């Protein structure tokens, strides 16, 4: 179901507090206790299914990810705040993401030539991401742009699909972002990649194909 903010609040409020709610399409979710009471009164599973009534698991929990609410983005109202428990998480560093990919590959226990090439590509991606992460520490916004989670996901997929083309894939991911950067920032990224042994896609030291 995709609901507007108002309908979402109306549906989730009772679900979080009472484990029951009625959705805009007419279907109903009921708590485990209410479900058992309906069965005890003689209703069959087929009847409940026909009536579009479903049981909420006793251990139901809702998890959501978002930026913390602020004065400029108060997406949680005073009514919603008591329903939520907040756990703050630090931003994932590229090294952690690449390590997760390596762990998944190692868990497969494959020793094929491609698996070995994939491990080497991921190790190289780890070194490149570390070089950029540390080298751009003085400019957090630039670092976040160059090493976004979306970009790392694409690079990780490229490292697994075509390990031998990792450097070319890196430039394909970075090129649009580099073109939008100020010249000084663009040259800083080129310098870091050049020091890590990555030439630009056109073979030069400063251009991006």
């Amino acid at each position: 179901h995709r609901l507007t903010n108002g309908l979402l609040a109306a549906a989730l409020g009772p679900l979080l507090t009472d484990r029951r709610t009625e959705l805009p399409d007419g279907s109903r979710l009921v708590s485990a206790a209410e479900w058992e009471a309906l069965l005890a009164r003689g209703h069959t599973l087929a009847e409940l299914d026909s009536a579009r009534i479903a049981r909420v698991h006793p251990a139901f929990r809702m998890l959501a990810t978002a930026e913390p609410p602020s004065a400029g983005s108060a997406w949680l109202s005073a009514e919603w705040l008591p329903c939520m428990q907040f756990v703050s998480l630090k931003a994932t560093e590229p090294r952690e993401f690449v390590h997760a990919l390596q762990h998944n590959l190692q868990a497969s226990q494959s020793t094929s030539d491609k698996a070995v090439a994939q491990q080497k590509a991921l190790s190289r991606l780890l070194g490149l991401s570390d070089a950029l992460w540390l080298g751009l520490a003085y400019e957090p916004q630039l670092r976040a742009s160059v090493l976004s989670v979306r970009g790392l996901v694409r690079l990780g997929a490229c490292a697994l699909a075509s390990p031998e083309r990792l450097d070319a894939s890196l430039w394909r991911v970075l090129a649009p972002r580099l073109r939008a950067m100020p010249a000084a920032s663009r040259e800083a990224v080129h310098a870091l990649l050049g020091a890590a042994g990555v030439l630009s896609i056109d073979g030069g030291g400063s251009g991006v194909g």
Side-chain angles (χ1 to χ4, degrees):
H1 294 279
R2 291 184 178 274
L3 307 178
T4 63
N5 288 342
L7 289 176
L8 182 64
L12 285 183
L15 183 61
L16 292 175
T17 55
D18 303 323
R19 297 295 187 266
R20 67 190 311 275
T21 193
E22 184 167 341
L23 297 172
D25 65 358
S27 58
R28 290 169 54 201
L29 301 176
V30 299
S31 67
E34 187 174 354
W35 177 267
E36 294 300 330
L38 289 171
L39 293 177
R41 289 201 293 269
H43 294 286
T44 66
L45 294 178
E47 288 174 339
L48 294 176
D49 183 62
S50 178
R52 303 172 71 189
I53 299 175
R55 170 180 176 268
V56 176
H57 194 280
F60 165 79
R61 296 292 186 275
M62 184 181 75
L63 300 178
T65 57
E67 296 289 337
S70 62
S73 178
W75 52 269
L76 281 179
S77 66
E79 294 177 340
W80 271 96
L81 283 172
C83 297
M84 302 291 180
Q85 292 183 346
F86 293 90
V87 178
S88 297
L89 300 175
K90 70 180 183 67
T92 301
E93 294 185 7
R95 167 170 285 270
E96 296 173 300
F97 177 80
V98 180
H99 271 316
L101 291 176
Q102 289 178 317
H103 176 76
N104 289 339
L105 185 59
Q106 290 167 352
S108 69
Q109 297 182 336
S110 175
T111 57
S112 66
D113 291 342
K114 183 173 183 178
V116 173
Q118 288 172 328
Q119 283 288 6
K120 290 181 178 178
L122 288 176
S123 295
R124 178 157 174 73
L125 179 58
L126 178 62
L128 293 174
S129 61
D130 275 350
L132 289 170
W133 186 258
L134 296 174
L136 298 176
Y138 65 93
E139 206 167 346
Q141 290 184 330
L142 175 59
R143 182 168 69 176
S145 174
V146 172
L147 291 168
S148 68
V149 172
R150 187 186 300 272
L152 285 171
V153 168
R154 290 180 60 190
L155 287 173
C158 291
L160 296 177
S162 302
E164 71 284 356
R165 296 181 55 79
L166 176 61
D167 285 11
S169 299
L170 177 67
W171 282 117
R172 279 199 299 272
V173 170
L174 290 183
R177 304 175 190 193
L178 290 174
R179 291 192 186 100
M181 291 178 187
S185 298
R186 186 165 58 247
E187 290 300 328
V189 175
H190 274 288
L192 289 168
L193 291 174
V198 182
L199 294 177
S200 61
I201 205 166
D202 61 3
S206 60
V208 179

